[in-house]
Amino acid sequence: MEQTPIITVKNLVKKFGSFVANDKLTFSVNKGEILGFLGANGAGKTTAMKILCGLSLPSSGEATIAGFDVYKETDKIKNNIGYMSQKFSLYEDLTIYENIRFYAGIYGLSRKEIREKTAILLNKLQLGKEKDTLIKSLPLGWKQKLAFSVAIFHNPKIVFLDEPTGGVDPITRRQFWNMIYEAANQGVTVFVTTHYMDEAEYCDRVSIMVDGRIAALDTPSNLKKQYNVKTMNEVFLKLARSN
């Protein structure tokens, strides 16, 4: 993993009226790093992610994503990232092949690129024979793996994953994380939110948000040492209870 920041955030604030959703967030993420962005519901994770994806403007502070400013260059940010939402992000009434072709077109890939990369992806996922199957008929685990593959189909510099493994079984979750590791090894920076504390162990570093602020940010092993506990779940509980 390169020690080259590809996401930089400084004193980032997001307010909704008098409510402060993000309170002076400051952190950076390196190229090829897997950063876990953790916190309870309402902690401000999704709000921060929307800003970093160019979908929402901050109230104040600074942030650059892949070198682009979150205030002035949101279109360039969107062209250089992948995004997988908390809710399933493919079209249920389209086939596997139609979904891939649709999103690849949005990403601006040529017909030749789409044809070649689709063949590679379907072979990799062993879905070649099912390419004309409607998405809604696939098991949830396969839907999620396909959605992740589509999110990085255009080789983005960063992929944002908003609770991507919600509702899937433990085996499928592990398979999904193998796909995340593979993408990171190829230089893709992974910014992932999750409710599963065991998944925090899979990340290079973990940020834990409490009430709109970053209460802790370090490697899982360092955080467990710092709070003198054995699991990330215990780290999370200690932080949540101290605020």
mmCIF file with all atom_site columns, all heavy atoms in Angstrom, residues 6-20:
data_model
loop_
_atom_site.group_PDB
_atom_site.id
_atom_site.type_symbol
_atom_site.label_atom_id
_atom_site.label_alt_id
_atom_site.label_comp_id
_atom_site.label_asym_id
_atom_site.label_entity_id
_atom_site.label_seq_id
_atom_site.pdbx_PDB_ins_code
_atom_site.Cartn_x
_atom_site.Cartn_y
_atom_site.Cartn_z
_atom_site.occupancy
_atom_site.B_iso_or_equiv
_atom_site.pdbx_formal_charge
_atom_site.auth_seq_id
_atom_site.auth_comp_id
_atom_site.auth_asym_id
_atom_site.auth_atom_id
_atom_site.pdbx_PDB_model_num
ATOM 1   N N   . ILE A 1 6  ? -4.960  9.882  -1.055 1.00 0.00 ? 6  ILE A N   1
ATOM 2   C CA  . ILE A 1 6  ? -5.850  10.068 -2.201 1.00 0.00 ? 6  ILE A CA  1
ATOM 3   C C   . ILE A 1 6  ? -7.161  10.705 -1.754 1.00 0.00 ? 6  ILE A C   1
ATOM 4   O O   . ILE A 1 6  ? -7.907  11.245 -2.545 1.00 0.00 ? 6  ILE A O   1
ATOM 5   C CB  . ILE A 1 6  ? -6.094  8.726  -2.935 1.00 0.00 ? 6  ILE A CB  1
ATOM 6   C CG1 . ILE A 1 6  ? -6.709  8.973  -4.307 1.00 0.00 ? 6  ILE A CG1 1
ATOM 7   C CG2 . ILE A 1 6  ? -6.936  7.772  -2.081 1.00 0.00 ? 6  ILE A CG2 1
ATOM 8   C CD1 . ILE A 1 6  ? -6.672  7.752  -5.216 1.00 0.00 ? 6  ILE A CD1 1
ATOM 9   N N   . ILE A 1 7  ? -7.404  10.657 -0.439 1.00 0.00 ? 7  ILE A N   1
ATOM 10  C CA  . ILE A 1 7  ? -8.508  11.397 0.173  1.00 0.00 ? 7  ILE A CA  1
ATOM 11  C C   . ILE A 1 7  ? -7.925  12.233 1.302  1.00 0.00 ? 7  ILE A C   1
ATOM 12  O O   . ILE A 1 7  ? -7.220  11.709 2.161  1.00 0.00 ? 7  ILE A O   1
ATOM 13  C CB  . ILE A 1 7  ? -9.583  10.454 0.758  1.00 0.00 ? 7  ILE A CB  1
ATOM 14  C CG1 . ILE A 1 7  ? -10.224 9.600  -0.346 1.00 0.00 ? 7  ILE A CG1 1
ATOM 15  C CG2 . ILE A 1 7  ? -10.658 11.249 1.493  1.00 0.00 ? 7  ILE A CG2 1
ATOM 16  C CD1 . ILE A 1 7  ? -11.205 8.558  0.198  1.00 0.00 ? 7  ILE A CD1 1
ATOM 17  N N   . THR A 1 8  ? -8.183  13.522 1.284  1.00 0.00 ? 8  THR A N   1
ATOM 18  C CA  . THR A 1 8  ? -7.746  14.390 2.385  1.00 0.00 ? 8  THR A CA  1
ATOM 19  C C   . THR A 1 8  ? -8.945  15.217 2.859  1.00 0.00 ? 8  THR A C   1
ATOM 20  O O   . THR A 1 8  ? -9.654  15.810 2.053  1.00 0.00 ? 8  THR A O   1
ATOM 21  C CB  . THR A 1 8  ? -6.610  15.335 1.960  1.00 0.00 ? 8  THR A CB  1
ATOM 22  O OG1 . THR A 1 8  ? -7.049  16.155 0.874  1.00 0.00 ? 8  THR A OG1 1
ATOM 23  C CG2 . THR A 1 8  ? -5.384  14.545 1.528  1.00 0.00 ? 8  THR A CG2 1
ATOM 24  N N   . VAL A 1 9  ? -9.137  15.227 4.159  1.00 0.00 ? 9  VAL A N   1
ATOM 25  C CA  . VAL A 1 9  ? -10.266 15.935 4.757  1.00 0.00 ? 9  VAL A CA  1
ATOM 26  C C   . VAL A 1 9  ? -9.734  16.760 5.925  1.00 0.00 ? 9  VAL A C   1
ATOM 27  O O   . VAL A 1 9  ? -8.963  16.258 6.752  1.00 0.00 ? 9  VAL A O   1
ATOM 28  C CB  . VAL A 1 9  ? -11.339 14.930 5.263  1.00 0.00 ? 9  VAL A CB  1
ATOM 29  C CG1 . VAL A 1 9  ? -12.473 15.673 5.957  1.00 0.00 ? 9  VAL A CG1 1
ATOM 30  C CG2 . VAL A 1 9  ? -11.864 14.083 4.114  1.00 0.00 ? 9  VAL A CG2 1
ATOM 31  N N   . LYS A 1 10 ? -10.138 18.022 5.995  1.00 0.00 ? 10 LYS A N   1
ATOM 32  C CA  . LYS A 1 10 ? -9.655  18.902 7.062  1.00 0.00 ? 10 LYS A CA  1
ATOM 33  C C   . LYS A 1 10 ? -10.798 19.776 7.583  1.00 0.00 ? 10 LYS A C   1
ATOM 34  O O   . LYS A 1 10 ? -11.394 20.552 6.830  1.00 0.00 ? 10 LYS A O   1
ATOM 35  C CB  . LYS A 1 10 ? -8.510  19.787 6.552  1.00 0.00 ? 10 LYS A CB  1
ATOM 36  C CG  . LYS A 1 10 ? -7.869  20.646 7.630  1.00 0.00 ? 10 LYS A CG  1
ATOM 37  C CD  . LYS A 1 10 ? -6.687  21.425 7.072  1.00 0.00 ? 10 LYS A CD  1
ATOM 38  C CE  . LYS A 1 10 ? -6.038  22.278 8.165  1.00 0.00 ? 10 LYS A CE  1
ATOM 39  N NZ  . LYS A 1 10 ? -4.881  23.057 7.639  1.00 0.00 ? 10 LYS A NZ  1
ATOM 40  N N   . ASN A 1 11 ? -11.092 19.595 8.870  1.00 0.00 ? 11 ASN A N   1
ATOM 41  C CA  . ASN A 1 11 ? -12.102 20.408 9.558  1.00 0.00 ? 11 ASN A CA  1
ATOM 42  C C   . ASN A 1 11 ? -13.438 20.446 8.814  1.00 0.00 ? 11 ASN A C   1
ATOM 43  O O   . ASN A 1 11 ? -14.083 21.494 8.699  1.00 0.00 ? 11 ASN A O   1
ATOM 44  C CB  . ASN A 1 11 ? -11.597 21.841 9.784  1.00 0.00 ? 11 ASN A CB  1
ATOM 45  C CG  . ASN A 1 11 ? -10.447 21.895 10.762 1.00 0.00 ? 11 ASN A CG  1
ATOM 46  O OD1 . ASN A 1 11 ? -10.389 21.110 11.708 1.00 0.00 ? 11 ASN A OD1 1
ATOM 47  N ND2 . ASN A 1 11 ? -9.508  22.794 10.520 1.00 0.00 ? 11 ASN A ND2 1
ATOM 48  N N   . LEU A 1 12 ? -13.863 19.297 8.316  1.00 0.00 ? 12 LEU A N   1
ATOM 49  C CA  . LEU A 1 12 ? -15.085 19.227 7.515  1.00 0.00 ? 12 LEU A CA  1
ATOM 50  C C   . LEU A 1 12 ? -16.321 19.270 8.418  1.00 0.00 ? 12 LEU A C   1
ATOM 51  O O   . LEU A 1 12 ? -16.448 18.488 9.365  1.00 0.00 ? 12 LEU A O   1
ATOM 52  C CB  . LEU A 1 12 ? -15.100 17.941 6.695  1.00 0.00 ? 12 LEU A CB  1
ATOM 53  C CG  . LEU A 1 12 ? -16.151 17.873 5.585  1.00 0.00 ? 12 LEU A CG  1
ATOM 54  C CD1 . LEU A 1 12 ? -15.748 18.788 4.443  1.00 0.00 ? 12 LEU A CD1 1
ATOM 55  C CD2 . LEU A 1 12 ? -16.293 16.439 5.074  1.00 0.00 ? 12 LEU A CD2 1
ATOM 56  N N   . VAL A 1 13 ? -17.223 20.189 8.104  1.00 0.00 ? 13 VAL A N   1
ATOM 57  C CA  . VAL A 1 13 ? -18.451 20.357 8.879  1.00 0.00 ? 13 VAL A CA  1
ATOM 58  C C   . VAL A 1 13 ? -19.650 20.282 7.947  1.00 0.00 ? 13 VAL A C   1
ATOM 59  O O   . VAL A 1 13 ? -19.639 20.847 6.849  1.00 0.00 ? 13 VAL A O   1
ATOM 60  C CB  . VAL A 1 13 ? -18.465 21.720 9.614  1.00 0.00 ? 13 VAL A CB  1
ATOM 61  C CG1 . VAL A 1 13 ? -19.809 21.958 10.300 1.00 0.00 ? 13 VAL A CG1 1
ATOM 62  C CG2 . VAL A 1 13 ? -17.326 21.799 10.624 1.00 0.00 ? 13 VAL A CG2 1
ATOM 63  N N   . LYS A 1 14 ? -20.685 19.563 8.377  1.00 0.00 ? 14 LYS A N   1
ATOM 64  C CA  . LYS A 1 14 ? -21.956 19.536 7.662  1.00 0.00 ? 14 LYS A CA  1
ATOM 65  C C   . LYS A 1 14 ? -23.071 19.770 8.660  1.00 0.00 ? 14 LYS A C   1
ATOM 66  O O   . LYS A 1 14 ? -23.237 19.013 9.625  1.00 0.00 ? 14 LYS A O   1
ATOM 67  C CB  . LYS A 1 14 ? -22.168 18.201 6.949  1.00 0.00 ? 14 LYS A CB  1
ATOM 68  C CG  . LYS A 1 14 ? -23.496 18.115 6.185  1.00 0.00 ? 14 LYS A CG  1
ATOM 69  C CD  . LYS A 1 14 ? -23.563 19.101 5.021  1.00 0.00 ? 14 LYS A CD  1
ATOM 70  C CE  . LYS A 1 14 ? -24.852 18.928 4.239  1.00 0.00 ? 14 LYS A CE  1
ATOM 71  N NZ  . LYS A 1 14 ? -24.924 19.857 3.075  1.00 0.00 ? 14 LYS A NZ  1
ATOM 72  N N   . LYS A 1 15 ? -23.836 20.846 8.409  1.00 0.00 ? 15 LYS A N   1
ATOM 73  C CA  . LYS A 1 15 ? -24.953 21.194 9.287  1.00 0.00 ? 15 LYS A CA  1
ATOM 74  C C   . LYS A 1 15 ? -26.270 21.103 8.534  1.00 0.00 ? 15 LYS A C   1
ATOM 75  O O   . LYS A 1 15 ? -26.337 21.395 7.340  1.00 0.00 ? 15 LYS A O   1
ATOM 76  C CB  . LYS A 1 15 ? -24.787 22.615 9.830  1.00 0.00 ? 15 LYS A CB  1
ATOM 77  C CG  . LYS A 1 15 ? -23.590 22.817 10.750 1.00 0.00 ? 15 LYS A CG  1
ATOM 78  C CD  . LYS A 1 15 ? -23.539 24.261 11.258 1.00 0.00 ? 15 LYS A CD  1
ATOM 79  C CE  . LYS A 1 15 ? -22.355 24.484 12.189 1.00 0.00 ? 15 LYS A CE  1
ATOM 80  N NZ  . LYS A 1 15 ? -22.299 25.896 12.674 1.00 0.00 ? 15 LYS A NZ  1
ATOM 81  N N   . PHE A 1 16 ? -27.286 20.668 9.244  1.00 0.00 ? 16 PHE A N   1
ATOM 82  C CA  . PHE A 1 16 ? -28.655 20.718 8.746  1.00 0.00 ? 16 PHE A CA  1
ATOM 83  C C   . PHE A 1 16 ? -29.428 21.603 9.735  1.00 0.00 ? 16 PHE A C   1
ATOM 84  O O   . PHE A 1 16 ? -29.855 21.134 10.786 1.00 0.00 ? 16 PHE A O   1
ATOM 85  C CB  . PHE A 1 16 ? -29.267 19.322 8.672  1.00 0.00 ? 16 PHE A CB  1
ATOM 86  C CG  . PHE A 1 16 ? -28.571 18.408 7.694  1.00 0.00 ? 16 PHE A CG  1
ATOM 87  C CD1 . PHE A 1 16 ? -27.613 17.501 8.135  1.00 0.00 ? 16 PHE A CD1 1
ATOM 88  C CD2 . PHE A 1 16 ? -28.865 18.463 6.337  1.00 0.00 ? 16 PHE A CD2 1
ATOM 89  C CE1 . PHE A 1 16 ? -26.965 16.659 7.235  1.00 0.00 ? 16 PHE A CE1 1
ATOM 90  C CE2 . PHE A 1 16 ? -28.228 17.632 5.432  1.00 0.00 ? 16 PHE A CE2 1
ATOM 91  C CZ  . PHE A 1 16 ? -27.275 16.726 5.877  1.00 0.00 ? 16 PHE A CZ  1
ATOM 92  N N   . GLY A 1 17 ? -29.533 22.886 9.405  1.00 0.00 ? 17 GLY A N   1
ATOM 93  C CA  . GLY A 1 17 ? -30.081 23.833 10.360 1.00 0.00 ? 17 GLY A CA  1
ATOM 94  C C   . GLY A 1 17 ? -29.131 23.965 11.530 1.00 0.00 ? 17 GLY A C   1
ATOM 95  O O   . GLY A 1 17 ? -27.939 24.242 11.358 1.00 0.00 ? 17 GLY A O   1
ATOM 96  N N   . SER A 1 18 ? -29.623 23.732 12.728 1.00 0.00 ? 18 SER A N   1
ATOM 97  C CA  . SER A 1 18 ? -28.766 23.813 13.912 1.00 0.00 ? 18 SER A CA  1
ATOM 98  C C   . SER A 1 18 ? -28.112 22.470 14.251 1.00 0.00 ? 18 SER A C   1
ATOM 99  O O   . SER A 1 18 ? -27.247 22.392 15.131 1.00 0.00 ? 18 SER A O   1
ATOM 100 C CB  . SER A 1 18 ? -29.579 24.294 15.127 1.00 0.00 ? 18 SER A CB  1
ATOM 101 O OG  . SER A 1 18 ? -30.642 23.394 15.393 1.00 0.00 ? 18 SER A OG  1
ATOM 102 N N   . PHE A 1 19 ? -28.525 21.415 13.536 1.00 0.00 ? 19 PHE A N   1
ATOM 103 C CA  . PHE A 1 19 ? -27.975 20.081 13.813 1.00 0.00 ? 19 PHE A CA  1
ATOM 104 C C   . PHE A 1 19 ? -26.644 19.888 13.084 1.00 0.00 ? 19 PHE A C   1
ATOM 105 O O   . PHE A 1 19 ? -26.552 20.111 11.873 1.00 0.00 ? 19 PHE A O   1
ATOM 106 C CB  . PHE A 1 19 ? -28.958 19.001 13.371 1.00 0.00 ? 19 PHE A CB  1
ATOM 107 C CG  . PHE A 1 19 ? -28.417 17.602 13.508 1.00 0.00 ? 19 PHE A CG  1
ATOM 108 C CD1 . PHE A 1 19 ? -28.208 17.036 14.752 1.00 0.00 ? 19 PHE A CD1 1
ATOM 109 C CD2 . PHE A 1 19 ? -28.100 16.857 12.372 1.00 0.00 ? 19 PHE A CD2 1
ATOM 110 C CE1 . PHE A 1 19 ? -27.708 15.747 14.882 1.00 0.00 ? 19 PHE A CE1 1
ATOM 111 C CE2 . PHE A 1 19 ? -27.605 15.569 12.485 1.00 0.00 ? 19 PHE A CE2 1
ATOM 112 C CZ  . PHE A 1 19 ? -27.406 15.013 13.744 1.00 0.00 ? 19 PHE A CZ  1
ATOM 113 N N   . VAL A 1 20 ? -25.620 19.473 13.812 1.00 0.00 ? 20 VAL A N   1
ATOM 114 C CA  . VAL A 1 20 ? -24.296 19.240 13.231 1.00 0.00 ? 20 VAL A CA  1
ATOM 115 C C   . VAL A 1 20 ? -24.131 17.741 12.976 1.00 0.00 ? 20 VAL A C   1
ATOM 116 O O   . VAL A 1 20 ? -23.947 16.955 13.907 1.00 0.00 ? 20 VAL A O   1
ATOM 117 C CB  . VAL A 1 20 ? -23.174 19.743 14.165 1.00 0.00 ? 20 VAL A CB  1
ATOM 118 C CG1 . VAL A 1 20 ? -21.807 19.515 13.512 1.00 0.00 ? 20 VAL A CG1 1
ATOM 119 C CG2 . VAL A 1 20 ? -23.373 21.221 14.481 1.00 0.00 ? 20 VAL A CG2 1
#
